[in-house]
Amino acid sequence: MQVMKNRNNKKKCVVLLSGGLDSSTLLYLVIKKKYLPTCLIFDYGQKHKKEIESAKKIAKSVKVKYFLVKTNFPWKGSALVDNKINIPENRLFNDKKIPSTYVPARNIIFLSYAVSLAEVIGAKYIFYGANQIDYSGYPDCRNNFIKKFQNIINVGTKSAVENKKIKLVAPLINFSKSEIVKLAHKLNVPLKYTWSCYKGTKKPCGVCDACKLRNEGFRNAKLKDFYD
Ligand SMILES: [Zn+2]
């Protein structure tokens, strides 16, 4: 029994789950690889609650435990949390500027929560669904950021000092959107529970960055999305 417990502990992990395609696919991948995930879902004052509901549905679809953390950004600073800033539509992706949908330091904050949870439950891994290929507009979705954040975990946690290292992993970091779509298909991710659109309309808007990338991913993968 003790042996079994130790083996299980080795597979304990935290998954940051937004309810979008990438993190949902990541959760299904982690389960396929026999990890034991606890999900972390954030209600951070997004303009719509649809992605939170989606994240809960995805977590429930695989019967894993999740925590819903409520927080907010009272100073706003992003089109995703400020009603006065419109979500950009039909933006060109060759624009090198960081889009207004970037939420200042959000992922640093979310990952810090994930580290805290991992320390408390004794998880050895934190899975983060960032990917830098099709959408490198966000600085906190790049390999270099992940490497540096690992250093912070290594120097700033009791777990690391006691030699119980927590590893930050981003398995989809170099996946294109169409590769993620194909993987989601292979893993039977229930697409109808996922929500990528930055708006909370009945159907995805089709013109925000998230919709455009998702649609392009499905087109390139030659697969159908749930609303096609
Ligand atoms: Zn959209």
Side-chain angles (χ1 to χ4, degrees):
M1 199 62 196
Q2 195 58 35
V3 173
M4 183 70 97
K5 197 176 163 216
N6 286 343
R7 197 170 64 208
N8 281 346
N9 261 350
K10 276 187 194 152
K11 295 290 238 177
K12 256 192 191 177
C13 67
V14 172
V15 177
L16 287 173
L17 185 64
S18 72
L21 183 67
D22 301 354
S23 64
S24 302
T25 304
L26 179 62
L27 176 62
Y28 271 67
L29 178 67
V30 157
I31 286 172
K32 168 103 178 160
K33 293 192 179 289
K34 306 258 186 286
Y35 285 90
L36 302 166
T38 298
C39 293
L40 200 43
I41 302 170
F42 291 93
D43 177 347
Y44 62 94
Q46 307 89 315
K47 281 180 179 168
H48 65 87
K49 302 284 177 229
K50 210 153 177 166
E51 64 180 36
I52 301 164
E53 292 313 311
S54 294
K56 285 195 221 165
K57 280 184 201 160
I58 288 288
K60 284 177 189 165
S61 74
V62 280
K63 299 184 175 66
V64 296
K65 188 173 178 178
Y66 65 85
F67 287 95
L68 175 62
V69 175
K70 283 198 179 192
T71 181
N72 62 6
F73 292 84
W75 42 83
K76 311 287 183 194
S78 164
L80 296 193
V81 293
D82 189 342
N83 286 326
K84 291 194 205 89
I85 307 174
N86 289 330
I87 305 277
E89 295 179 353
N90 289 314
R91 211 172 61 86
L92 294 172
F93 288 113
N94 55 14
D95 183 353
K96 288 270 187 287
K97 274 196 287 187
I98 293 173
S100 59
T101 46
Y102 167 74
V103 183
R106 180 194 61 185
N107 292 357
I108 293 178
I109 295 166
F110 287 2
L111 283 167
S112 300
Y113 269 103
V115 175
S116 173
L117 174 58
E119 281 211 272
V120 173
I121 65 173
K124 300 271 186 289
Y125 301 91
I126 294 167
F127 283 96
Y128 177 39
N131 88 76
Q132 62 182 7
I133 295 298
D134 277 341
Y135 196 31
S136 53
Y138 296 142
D140 48 14
C141 290
R142 293 179 190 152
N143 236 339
N144 196 31
F145 166 73
I146 291 161
K147 269 197 230 156
K148 297 278 159 66
F149 203 90
Q150 179 69 61
N151 292 343
I152 291 177
I153 299 173
N154 295 349
V155 295
T157 58
K158 176 172 176 261
S159 305
V161 171
E162 291 177 351
N163 221 8
K164 292 178 225 147
K165 277 208 174 138
I166 298 167
K167 200 169 179 331
L168 175 58
V169 209
L172 306 179
I173 193 79
N174 289 321
F175 275 52
S176 69
K177 212 51 155 183
S178 70
E179 283 170 330
I180 296 173
V181 167
K182 283 179 195 161
L183 181 61
H185 189 257
K186 203 172 116 192
L187 296 168
N188 287 319
V189 176
L191 296 173
K192 62 174 192 242
Y193 292 161
T194 66
W195 187 262
S196 301
C197 182
Y198 287 145
K199 300 179 189 179
T201 40
K202 198 162 179 237
K203 270 182 132 193
C205 77
V207 288
C208 73
D209 286 5
C211 278
K212 283 179 71 185
L213 276 169
R214 179 168 173 148
N215 293 346
E216 198 180 291
F218 274 89
R219 231 181 358 258
N220 290 340
K222 298 190 171 54
L223 289 166
K224 276 192 185 310
D225 208 339
F226 72 96
Y227 49 84
D228 285 331

